[in-house]
Structures are given as structure tokens and as C-alpha cells.
Amino acid sequence: GASFFGSVMSGVLAMIAVTGLLAVGMSPLLALGTFRVGALGFSAGGLHKYINAKKVVWSLLPTMIVVSIVGSVVGSFIVISTDERIIEKVLGFAILLFIPLSIWKPALGVVENSVSNARRRLGHVMYFLVSAWSSSIAIGTGLIAAYPLMYFYGLTLLQVKGTNRIPSLIKTI
């Protein structure tokens, strides 16, 4: 329950923070950049608790870190090279899109599942896309990171929250 709430809240936090920064007159790029710097504390916070609770899947980390960094570089490049009017429209669309996603498949991530190698490889592709999204738009990141990791990697929600903290921290830096 608490981890699901945390996943939802991380996406909602971005939605509220970026919307608020836009409302006070910040440009879309400045609002996104400001949010990303503030997100550093969120990425680092609680990591030791997930490690102590053995909720970090260490075998996934090397691949997740590499995929995350490459996706973040691509996402950052896309957002910096895109017209701010387009970014503003994408932000508005993302805010509306991720509201219904917050209630999609509520039972996913309750029990750890084994997955095939092909499914895991597809998960790496999805994680790349999630990393690009989170580095460019940030809204809904908690949700769009949690579902692919639970589905394609077979992780529980607590494992997702613990394991994803390390690549998130590295790519945010």
C-alpha cells in the first residue's frame, strides 16, 4: 500500500510541482530543470531502508543503470532541442493521461514472478523509454516506471521502489 502510494505520489508530485512552476511564470524548460534538481533528495531518500529490507534486486542494476543513463541523455537532448510550446502541450497531455493510469492493474506487483529472458529484454527497452520520459517530462514517472518493471521484470512493487532508486539517483545527478 505505502509503496503504491509512493509510486503514485512521485508522478503526482511532478505533476503538481511542474504545473505550479509553470503557473508562476517559469518557462517549461526551467520548470522541468528545477523539478529535476529538487528530485535528487527524493531519489536518495530511503534508499538505505530498501537495501536493509533486501528489496534491491542487485542482478538487475548494471543493466538498469546503463539503460537509464542512455535513456536520460536521449530524453534530456529531446527536451532541450524541442520548441517550448510543444513541451507545454506535451506537459498538459501528460497531466491528463496519467490520471487514469494510476488505477490500471492494481494487483500487478503484489507477488514476484519469474519472467522469460525475451520478456526481460523487452523490459530493458521499456526502461529506456521510461528513462527518456523521466529525464524530459518527469510527469507520471513513478507510475510509468513501476508498471514496466513489475510486468517485464516480474518484480514486486517494493522491489521496484528499492531497485529503481539507484539508477534514478545516478541519472538525476
Side-chain angles (χ1 to χ4, degrees):
S3 288
F4 177 76
F5 183 72
S7 292
V8 171
M9 287 312 297
S10 66
V12 171
L13 176 63
M15 183 171 45
I16 292 169
V18 172
T19 302
L21 294 171
L22 290 170
V24 297
M26 274 193 187
S27 72
L29 287 177
L30 185 58
L32 289 169
T34 301
F35 174 76
R36 296 311 304 159
V37 170
L40 265 173
F42 181 77
S43 294
L47 178 59
H48 71 284
K49 289 183 181 181
Y50 286 106
I51 292 171
N52 290 341
K54 299 187 183 338
K55 296 301 178 186
V56 175
V57 181
W58 296 101
S59 62
L60 286 174
L61 280 177
T63 303
M64 287 178 68
I65 289 169
V66 170
V67 169
S68 175
I69 291 170
V70 173
S72 296
V73 169
V74 170
S76 298
F77 178 75
I78 289 170
V79 78
I80 289 171
S81 62
T82 302
D83 185 321
E84 288 196 31
R85 292 175 294 206
I86 294 171
I87 293 171
E88 194 168 3
K89 289 179 176 142
V90 170
L91 286 172
F93 177 74
I95 289 167
L96 294 175
L97 175 67
F98 286 105
I99 293 170
L101 278 181
S102 64
I103 55 174
W104 179 67
K105 284 205 166 202
L108 188 63
V110 175
V111 179
E112 185 175 5
N113 297 304
S114 59
V115 295
S116 68
N117 286 334
R119 188 166 169 181
R120 187 166 288 202
R121 282 191 295 275
L122 187 54
H124 298 329
V125 173
M126 294 304 296
Y127 192 64
F128 169 83
L129 297 172
V130 166
S131 295
W133 175 267
S134 70
S135 294
S136 58
I137 302 300
I139 293 174
T141 301
L143 290 172
I144 66 169
Y147 286 110
L149 292 175
M150 289 184 293
Y151 181 77
F152 290 106
Y153 293 158
L155 303 178
T156 67
L157 189 53
L158 286 174
Q159 289 173 320
V160 166
K161 298 298 288 177
T163 306
N164 196 39
R165 292 260 175 175
I166 295 169
S168 292
L169 179 61
I170 290 170
K171 74 180 177 187
T172 301
I173 291 170

